[in-house]
């Protein structure tokens, strides 16, 4: 599920997401994916899981979090993300071999 952030889900939203079969709630990827597609850009999403959703609170071992705790976990992951991105850039081919550049060829009406 992608929600408009930055905000936490309400307990009611969380219960609905669970009942609908969703397992991860994300505050990014949309509209970024659509904007990249409109520019014929390649796109990858890197997600950092920072906490359990509000709807899971009360289950064994899951306690409520606040924004400060989420930022602390996020900051701990920043160095890992930087390493990942540098490795991805290092391994990118010099020429595009994907079809992203042609994704909108027949899309205009």
């Amino acid at each position: 599920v992608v929600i408009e952030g930055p905000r936490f889900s309400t307990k009611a939203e969380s219960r609905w997401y669970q009942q609908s079969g969703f397992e991860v709630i994300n505050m990014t990827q949309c509209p970024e994916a659509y904007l990249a597609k409109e520019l014929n850009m390649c796109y990858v999403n890197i997600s950092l899981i920072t906490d359990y959703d509000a709807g899971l609170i009360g289950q064994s071992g899951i306690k409520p979090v606040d924004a400060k705790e989420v930022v602390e976990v996020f900051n701990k992951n920043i160095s890992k993300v930087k390493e990942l991105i540098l490795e991805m850039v290092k391994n990118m081919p010099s020429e595009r071999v994907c079809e992203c550049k042609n994704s909108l060829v027949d899309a205009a009406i």
Side-chain angles (χ1 to χ4, degrees), residues 24-83:
V24 176
I25 298 172
N26 196 340
M27 285 188 280
T28 189
Q29 187 176 348
C30 181
E32 292 91 339
Y34 294 108
L35 296 172
K37 185 85 161 176
E38 289 173 5
L39 295 171
N40 291 325
M41 294 173 62
C42 301
Y43 181 82
V44 64
N45 179 47
I46 301 171
S47 297
L48 301 175
I49 297 175
T50 57
D51 60 286
Y52 288 104
D53 189 58
L56 300 176
I57 294 168
Q59 294 183 20
S60 178
I62 300 176
K63 64 181 183 83
V65 296
D66 59 25
K68 181 182 176 192
E69 292 171 308
V70 169
V71 170
E72 285 175 10
V73 173
F74 183 83
N75 286 334
K76 288 179 185 176
N77 287 319
I78 292 295
S79 62
K80 294 175 188 175
V81 172
K82 286 180 181 179
E83 288 177 29

Side-chain angles (χ1 to χ4, degrees), residues 10-27:
T10 66
K11 289 182 182 180
E13 287 173 317
S14 298
R15 281 192 295 276
W16 184 83
Y17 299 149
Q18 289 173 18
Q19 292 168 354
S20 299
F22 300 112
E23 295 181 357
V24 176
I25 298 172
N26 196 340
M27 285 188 280

